[in-house]
Amino acid sequence: MSGPTPDFWQERFQTQQTHWDRGGPSPQLLAWLDSGALPPCRIAVPGCGSGWEVAELAGRGFEVVGIDYTAAAVEKARALCRERGVAAEIVQADVLTYRPPRPFDAIYEQTCLCALHPEHWARYAGQLRAWLKEDGVLWVLFLQMLRPAATEEGLIQGPPYHCDINGMRALFPEAAWTWPKPPYGKVPHPNLVHELAARLVRR
Ligand SMILES: C[S@@+](CC[C@H](N)C(=O)[O-])C[C@H]1O[C@@H](n2cnc3c(N)ncnc32)[C@H](O)[C@@H]1O
């Protein structure tokens, strides 16, 4: 299987090489929540890592399911929810095979897609679509991490893998998802480059 394994991520957590981790919920998620754009619902957070977004959503009354296949991430996310006194389900599972017992109203995708080798992107996109009910919403941050060796030599480098917007349009085609019109909001990241924020509606 191409790309990182659970052992790769486990080691990152154990050696505190978690440069993607903001140490709190994403400002874009907070903006969506504070504006009322994303109201309480049943929501999935794939590749939830330390669980900052899971705990924030749970604290605001969402029915949250965080999904991560790395033991250390699951422990951290569960511990954070316990500390905060909020209830969320944290499932240890592979996002490429996970099947929810009931569909979700929404998905919050942040740095899980860019953590997967592009070879798995089509399958992952299919999973996200299958998890959502019709008219469900994918709240997504596409990580922009241009790699010169990709354009120069065709190398595929990551994680994080660059989520080029042309590729994203191919992965989440208009026939299956309603896209907003660009430009998309640019969300700075303290350690990575930046993300583009979009709200895609499942057709
Ligand atoms: C870059 S981290 C991002 C964590 C979190 N979303 C954040 O922004 O802080 C990627 C996370 O996805 C998880 N992950 C990667 N591939 C996965 C897979 N196939 N199934 C489940 N989790 C996965 C890793 O264990 C890791 O916690």
Side-chain angles (χ1 to χ4, degrees), residues 14-26:
Q14 283 172 338
T15 56
Q16 275 118 46
Q17 292 178 70
T18 52
H19 55 284
W20 63 80
D21 194 318
R22 285 186 167 95
S26 159

Side-chain angles (χ1 to χ4, degrees), residues 9 13 20-21 47-49 68-70 73 93-95 110-111 115-116:
W9 295 107
F13 280 101
W20 63 80
D21 194 318
C48 64
D68 204 295
Y69 69 1
T70 303
D94 188 333
V95 294
Q110 172 189 302
T111 55
L116 299 171

Side-chain angles (χ1 to χ4, degrees), residues 111-128:
T111 55
C112 184
L113 178 65
C114 72
L116 299 171
H117 189 284
E119 222 171 81
H120 307 303
W121 283 2
R123 180 160 176 191
Y124 180 55
Q127 284 281 88
L128 297 183

Side-chain angles (χ1 to χ4, degrees), residues 153-177:
E153 301 167 60
L155 293 185
I156 297 175
Q157 294 176 322
Y161 300 96
H162 174 53
C163 295
D164 173 75
I165 200 69
N166 296 327
M168 298 304 102
R169 292 301 287 244
L171 198 59
F172 300 97
E174 270 285 350
W177 301 88

Side-chain angles (χ1 to χ4, degrees), residues 41-42 100 102-107 127-138 176-177 200-203:
C41 63
R42 175 170 157 77
R102 287 185 294 123
F104 291 101
D105 302 308
I107 297 173
Q127 284 281 88
L128 297 183
R129 191 157 192 284
W131 296 354
L132 278 177
K133 66 178 198 189
E134 209 182 317
D135 292 332
V137 178
L138 175 61
W177 301 88
L200 309 191
V201 181
R202 183 199 191 284
R203 288 189 197 270

